[in-house]
Amino acid sequence: MCGIIGYVGTRRAAPLLLEGLRRLEYRGYDSAGMATLEGKLWVRKDAGKLEEIERKLGLSSLPGRTGIGHVRWATHGSPSRRNAHPHLDDSGEVAVVHNGIIENYLELRRVLERKGHRFVSETDTEVIPHLISHFLRRGEGLERSVERAVGELKGSLAVAVLYAREPEKLVGVRRSSPLLVGKGNGESFLASDIPALLPFTRRVVPLQEEEMVVLTPSSFSLRHLPSGRAVARKPMEVKWTAEMAEKGGYPHFTLKEILEQPWAVGETLRGAGEEAEKLSRFLLRAEHLYFVGCGTSYHAAVVGKYLLAKLAGLQVEAVVASEFSESCGGDGRTAVLAITQSGETADVLRAVRHLRSLGGRVACLTNVVGSSVTRESQLVCYIRAGPEVSVVATKTFTSQVAYLLLLSLRLGEESGRLDRTEKKELLSSLLASPGLMERALRSSLTRTKALARKMLEEEHLYLVGRGLGYPVAMEGALKVKEISYLHAEALAGGELKHGTLALLEKGTPVIAVAVPGESKGRLMSNLEEMRARGARMIAVAEERDREVREHADLLLPVPRTGEFLSPLTFILPLQLLAYHLSVGRKLDPDRPRSLAKSVTVE
Ligand code: F6R
């Protein structure tokens, strides 16, 4: 996720762009930049926080009445001056800011380099100004060149384009990443999100999929690219406050991030490509494999362990990072995949350093480009879920799981566990999973709110699962504990009778995470054991799962995904339940007591 803004009008662009970027910083804060137009393109950009860059380079003193700006959350190429946006073509006449991921940038870059284009960054974005300039040089106009360039791009994008020879014009395109027009008097804006527009105007026009907009100070014209049709759309009046707008209109970042998971998983799957392939080769070369992580990332590691066993017949040990050096050895034949959203967790860094000191190899899966773990790893992979502002991890969990699913499918095919058709079918289900997640979220919102209302006075909650349902239960329990302070304990269904069953009394709430698969029948027997002790059984299950319905007092249904994809949807009602419990108990889910987003002490 990055933030983009554009302005064309009668005032000096740069101070307005800076003001807008300040309000987009929650979308990315590892680098920032601006390009304005007066006679020629003026560009200033660097790595670091927006205010530092403003102090150092004086972004706001750039000249001109047209300009674009960007705050970056790196996905391709580390945070650095040359990777910061805007990116330019060779002639220095086309400037582009971009939010999204270009999947086929390597192919396009090779083709353009063969035609003589010189690239200066490691980003996927840089292909865009070069492609536009390629079509401009062939004599096409600006709009047509942008359209043709976008036609070559696969992936997600929201772009704003500035062209030195057309100083009173700004072109924007939207595909899968948000983009809005803001209309003022004699001035027009473009932005990724409403907060950036609020200081200037409340008249907003959201772009729909595959639409292009051409802005001048006095007008904006929209066109649907695939059909070529002009689109008439009137501005709507936004009534949000600036704070509400930053959270996308939601009361908390936690809820916003829970609800943006379909988008985040889509980005993860779009961006993984060659990198996931390298990771599968990296892991196959090892004789002993460990996945290490803490908290939520550890739960994703456990999901990964089950997936690799089930889909690829590969044995992986999932280890809590802080226990790794105590419990695991290693040598040149050992590899670790460190799973860490922030890439800064001290326990994870210690575990990877321990393995490296024994001669083992390290790969990492993180959300933060250039974070400490990337410097300790021989292979670096990114989930590309966008910045996670809320202290509790939600969207990064499902993105980690989606990445591990993709990896397991590759390894499954490689190991011969999955034949080509099976892999193809699972892959297409995985690529379609954001749609199912969307449905699961929609159907769970009110159900979990009603359930939370009944549970506000509870002191204990148990979650049970078997198979892939077990790590999902662990993650659900963690969410409940972190933000609602209700004691929640997760158990593998089979473990109940070895102790915890003694704690169940009449009315004790228990949530069964009843994922489909071979172990579900045994979980149903566990449900009966618990019901016999008077427990109140709530079950997360696939819709129309009659068997679970018979054994549960209340059902939280999710769409059918089959066993392997189930962690992506089954966790959603549990996250929402935790959120509603938190709000219902008058707590602030964005700021859980005693917890920090990034734990840099051991
Ligand atoms: C849970 C949570 C923590 C983190 C843990 C690891 O909601 O946020 O449990 O998952 O501190 O953090 P990363 O993934 O950054 O290493």
Side-chain angles (χ1 to χ4, degrees):
M1 196 149 68
C2 299
I4 68 178
I5 182 152
Y7 174 80
V8 53
T10 50
R11 294 193 271 171
R12 271 193 53 232
L16 309 179
L17 295 174
L18 182 68
E19 184 56 41
L21 287 179
R22 283 194 181 115
R23 289 155 185 265
L24 289 175
E25 255 200 309
Y26 75 95
R27 300 178 65 87
Y29 41 77
D30 63 39
S31 12
M34 239 185 237
T36 57
L37 242 171
E38 190 171 77
K40 61 167 195 149
L41 281 178
W42 299 80
V43 182
R44 287 181 194 162
K45 58 183 190 173
D46 209 342
K49 296 245 163 59
L50 184 65
E51 286 310 323
E52 291 160 20
I53 301 172
E54 164 64 359
R55 270 198 301 278
K56 205 161 72 179
L57 304 178
L59 296 172
S60 58
S61 61
L62 283 169
R65 298 176 204 287
T66 312
I68 53 179
H70 190 266
V71 281
R72 181 168 188 245
W73 179 258
T75 56
H76 289 88
S78 57
S80 65
R81 198 188 108 69
R82 71 198 167 99
N83 288 335
H85 298 214
H87 287 283
L88 269 60
D89 70 326
D90 280 329
S91 69
E93 289 191 325
V94 178
V96 170
V97 286
H98 166 224
N99 170 31
I101 292 171
I102 308 298
E103 289 165 36
N104 58 338
Y105 80 103
L106 276 177
E107 284 156 61
L108 291 170
R109 182 171 172 149
R110 279 183 210 121
V111 173
L112 287 161
E113 278 174 338
R114 278 202 294 278
K115 291 186 195 294
H117 291 256
R118 277 177 308 108
F119 282 75
V120 294
S121 79
E122 303 155 295
T123 64
D124 52 341
T125 302
E126 203 186 350
V127 297
I128 308 175
H130 284 281
L131 267 175
I132 296 172
S133 138
H134 166 77
F135 291 111
L136 283 167
R137 278 186 219 167
R138 286 177 159 195
E140 309 272 14
L142 175 62
E143 287 93 316
R144 181 73 185 135
S145 297
V146 173
E147 180 178 353
R148 294 204 55 190
V150 167
E152 301 284 327
L153 303 171
K154 290 195 188 131
S156 58
L157 52 97
V159 288
V161 183
L162 204 57
Y163 181 37
R165 297 192 195 190
E166 303 211 33
E168 297 229 319
K169 200 184 265 183
L170 207 58
V171 180
V173 180
R174 177 207 162 133
R175 177 191 296 155
S176 305
S177 295
L179 193 61
L180 308 137
V181 171
K183 196 67 205 83
N185 287 331
E187 55 187 8
S188 308
F189 298 83
L190 208 53
S192 300
D193 214 342
I194 292 172
L197 298 173
L198 288 183
F200 318 116
T201 179
R202 289 183 176 262
R203 292 170 63 220
V204 166
V205 184
L207 265 71
Q208 304 295 330
E209 276 305 280
E210 300 288 345
E211 283 182 355
M212 174 195 260
V213 67
V214 179
L215 299 173
T216 67
S218 57
S219 69
F220 69 93
S221 57
L222 287 165
R223 198 150 58 82
H224 180 245
L225 289 178
S227 64
R229 256 185 297 112
V231 177
R233 190 171 303 133
K234 288 215 180 95
M236 58 182 200
E237 191 79 21
V238 178
K239 302 217 161 59
W240 293 352
T241 63
E243 206 211 358
M244 272 167 79
E246 195 170 299
K247 293 173 186 160
Y250 299 106
H252 300 100
F253 277 110
T254 307
L255 182 61
K256 175 177 179 285
E257 288 165 5
I258 290 174
L259 296 179
E260 78 190 12
Q261 289 178 97
W263 168 84
V265 163
E267 290 296 280
T268 301
L269 296 172
R270 262 193 278 274
E274 282 184 23
E275 196 188 85
E277 201 145 330
K278 279 192 202 150
L279 180 57
S280 63
R281 285 199 296 272
F282 182 94
L283 298 178
L284 279 176
R285 290 213 319 272
E287 278 178 31
H288 309 290
L289 273 180
Y290 295 103
F291 287 175
V292 301
C294 302
T296 292
S297 295
Y298 166 68
H299 298 151
V302 181
V303 171
K305 167 195 160 90
Y306 279 65
L307 288 173
L308 256 67
K310 283 172 184 282
L311 290 166
L314 270 178
Q315 221 41 63
V316 181
E317 229 183 291
V319 186
V320 170
S322 55
E323 292 297 315
F324 185 76
S325 64
E326 301 286 331
S327 61
C328 305
D331 54 28
R333 293 164 301 172
T334 312
V336 151
L337 175 65
I339 304 177
T340 164
Q341 184 283 131
S342 62
E344 302 295 345
T345 304
D347 290 326
V348 175
L349 295 175
R350 188 160 181 277
V352 302
R353 285 174 192 144
H354 172 71
L355 181 70
R356 287 187 61 176
S357 72
L358 301 174
R361 292 175 307 125
V362 175
C364 67
L365 180 60
T366 182
N367 194 33
V368 182
V369 176
S371 54
S372 300
V373 77
T374 65
R375 293 192 288 276
E376 303 281 346
S377 308
Q378 279 111 323
L379 179 67
V380 178
C381 305
Y382 293 110
I383 53 171
R384 301 181 172 88
E388 195 170 54
V389 179
S390 162
V391 169
V392 287
T394 53
K395 63 174 179 171
T396 53
F397 174 72
T398 41
S399 282
Q400 289 165 341
V401 167
Y403 203 108
L404 293 168
L405 264 159
L406 199 63
L407 177 73
S408 312
L409 295 184
R410 283 185 203 280
L411 288 167
E413 193 181 21
E414 199 82 34
S415 66
R417 260 296 162 107
L418 292 175
D419 66 32
R420 212 157 236 208
T421 327
E422 283 170 317
K423 184 200 159 187
K424 236 174 120 186
E425 278 171 10
L426 280 168
L427 185 62
S428 72
S429 307
L430 178 57
L431 296 177
S433 62
L436 297 176
M437 293 172 74
E438 191 84 58
R439 268 185 53 207
L441 286 165
R442 243 183 285 130
S443 82
S444 301
L445 255 176
T446 43
R447 281 192 172 94
T448 50
K449 192 170 182 181
L451 176 60
R453 222 176 284 134
K454 289 189 206 145
M455 286 176 61
L456 292 178
E457 303 304 321
E458 297 293 348
E459 286 180 13
H460 305 283
L461 169 69
Y462 297 90
L463 292 97
V464 291
R466 281 181 181 255
L468 283 163
Y470 175 42
V472 173
M474 293 200 279
E475 176 56 11
L478 183 62
K479 289 296 86 92
V480 170
K481 280 188 280 200
E482 284 176 298
I483 56 176
S484 78
Y485 313 152
L486 165 61
H487 167 245
E489 187 177 333
L491 290 148
E495 278 293 287
L496 268 168
K497 55 188 174 296
H498 299 291
T500 312
L501 206 51
L503 289 177
L504 300 190
E505 297 171 348
K506 192 166 169 9
T508 307
V510 179
I511 300 182
V513 184
V515 301
E518 191 258 329
S519 64
K520 200 182 76 187
R522 292 194 294 281
L523 186 67
M524 293 305 104
S525 313
N526 299 139
L527 260 59
E528 283 312 311
E529 286 162 4
M530 292 184 279
R531 271 223 305 201
R533 269 95 192 154
R536 185 152 60 94
M537 289 307 317
I538 301 146
V540 185
E542 284 189 342
E543 56 201 6
R544 288 200 279 274
D545 187 328
R546 286 226 193 95
E547 192 187 6
V548 179
R549 200 175 282 269
E550 274 168 24
H551 294 277
D553 302 308
L554 179 82
L555 207 65
L556 295 172
V558 291
R560 280 181 68 173
T561 55
E563 179 183 4
F564 305 122
L565 268 56
S566 61
L568 290 175
T569 49
F570 275 64
I571 190 59
L572 305 176
L574 301 178
Q575 294 169 338
L576 283 169
L577 177 65
Y579 172 76
H580 290 310
L581 280 169
S582 175
V583 174
R585 289 180 157 205
K586 310 247 175 309
L587 302 168
D588 180 353
D590 286 351
R591 293 189 194 88
R593 69 182 177 211
S594 317
L595 299 179
K597 181 77 189 149
S598 189
V599 186
T600 53
V601 289
E602 284 176 22

